[in-house]
Amino acid sequence: MFNMRNSLIAVAAVATLAVPAALAHRQWMLPSSTIVSGEDNWISVDAAVSNDLFFFDHRPLAAMPKVTQPDGTEGTVENHKVGQLRATFDVHLTQQGTYRIAIVNEGVFGSYELNGETKQLPRGTNAANLAQAIPAGATNVRTSENIGRNEIYVTQGAPSDTIFKPAGKGIELVPVTHPNDVVAGEAATFQFLLDGKPGANLTVTIINGGIRYRHDLNQIDLKTDAQGKVTFTLPDAGMYWVNVTQPGGRGEGMGGPGAGAPGAAPAAGAAPRPAPSGPPPRRANYMTTIEVQTN
């Protein structure tokens, strides 16, 4: 009876404490380990979208991730399963060094007018097939390009940096401090690139896991400097969620609404479209999970 009563009190307390944290859905991937020794290991990863960080309570992150091995070759995702609340998969580590496990979402969203009707761009539209998605004669084309990266890093043996070679698109992490070498109480520095260049003035949010069981988010809000760098000191060991976004969601030099986006030129035979009047919306975001160690 004593244990049951204490359990009920604990559940009630958790429900009360959880309310402030249940205000936003966040995507995350959580590896079973971020650093392992030896030469032949497995890790398991949970992937979900949830209210409470690292607690699957909403829906799975169902997209198939891509693994890049320490030598730069593509690895294999094994045992990928998608449930109601989370996805899970395994990665077999056979090389020494740092692996990247990534889900990259890239697409173009928008609408156009044709024969007096407003139509939405079909799902799966991207910069490469945008021109084919807009029929001849379409007017008032409006598009928004989005690229989101959700990446985690796992090291077998000593950390390496081969997999951090930038692709030059969206927000990317270039470690000054290796993400598998962040220690509680010690300053760490990350650099973020935006389309291959230093991402100045990006918004960086860091939240420690376990928010389901505490009242305050203890959210750390930072801005990158002119070199895209941000320095932080995390107080405790544990798993932390790092999110990086563009302020305002607009990038420079991207052209006008619709017409300036990649592939948005009028199709052959189509009537000229309105001239662009300003930069089109473009959004990029980046997130990762880092495991902070004790010294």
Side-chain angles (χ1 to χ4, degrees):
M1 177 62 73
F2 176 80
N3 289 338
M4 178 177 293
R5 180 176 183 276
N6 279 353
S7 297
L8 291 173
I9 292 173
V11 169
V14 166
T16 301
L17 294 175
V19 171
L23 299 176
H25 292 144
R26 303 175 181 88
Q27 297 183 24
W28 49 266
M29 289 193 287
L30 183 68
S32 55
S33 297
T34 60
I35 302 175
V36 296
S37 59
E39 299 180 348
D40 190 319
N41 292 280
W42 288 82
I43 63 157
S44 293
V45 180
D46 288 336
V49 181
S50 68
N51 290 315
D52 298 323
L53 277 175
F54 312 139
F55 186 90
F56 35 92
D57 60 3
H58 182 54
R59 63 181 174 83
L61 195 56
M64 177 65 78
K66 180 179 179 180
V67 176
T68 304
Q69 301 182 112
D71 66 358
T73 60
E74 184 169 345
T76 303
V77 172
E78 303 199 40
N79 305 317
H80 187 245
K81 294 181 172 55
V82 179
Q84 289 293 323
L85 297 179
R86 64 170 170 171
T88 62
F89 59 89
D90 301 323
V91 178
H92 189 191
L93 310 179
T94 58
Q95 296 184 14
Q96 295 291 291
T98 300
Y99 290 68
R100 179 178 60 216
I101 302 168
I103 295 175
V104 179
N105 293 308
E106 186 175 359
V108 177
F109 306 88
S111 64
Y112 58 86
E113 293 181 11
L114 184 66
N115 300 325
E117 296 183 8
T118 299
K119 297 180 179 296
Q120 302 297 317
L121 291 174
R123 293 175 65 90
T125 301
N126 54 44
N129 62 24
L130 178 59
Q132 290 71 40
I134 302 174
T139 60
N140 293 328
V141 178
R142 297 180 181 278
T143 62
S144 173
E145 185 180 12
N146 295 270
I147 178 167
R149 298 180 182 276
N150 187 345
E151 302 181 340
I152 57 174
Y153 307 97
V154 176
T155 293
Q156 178 168 256
S160 61
D161 59 7
T162 303
I163 52 95
F164 293 103
K165 182 180 180 181
K169 194 167 188 179
I171 299 175
E172 297 176 277
L173 170 65
V174 176
V176 178
T177 302
H178 194 287
N180 294 143
D181 195 24
V182 180
V183 177
E186 296 184 3
T189 299
F190 288 168
Q191 183 183 29
F192 295 99
L193 304 182
L194 176 60
D195 296 334
K197 300 178 181 178
N201 201 38
L202 300 177
T203 300
V204 180
T205 302
I206 305 175
I207 304 176
N208 195 356
I211 59 178
R212 181 178 179 85
Y213 305 106
R214 65 176 186 264
H215 184 271
D216 296 322
L217 273 181
N218 297 333
Q219 178 172 321
I220 300 172
D221 295 309
L222 304 165
K223 289 282 189 181
T224 57
D225 65 14
Q227 296 303 311
K229 294 181 180 178
V230 62
T231 297
F232 53 89
T233 301
L234 300 177
D236 302 305
M239 292 289 191
Y240 286 77
W241 182 76
V242 180
N243 186 50
V244 186
T245 58
Q246 282 180 279
R250 286 177 180 266
E252 295 181 355
M254 295 302 296
R273 293 173 188 152
S277 58
R282 184 179 186 278
R283 294 179 176 83
N285 70 291
Y286 172 92
M287 62 197 75
T288 186
T289 301
I290 60 172
E291 184 175 20
V292 177
Q293 311 287 334
T294 55
N295 196 348

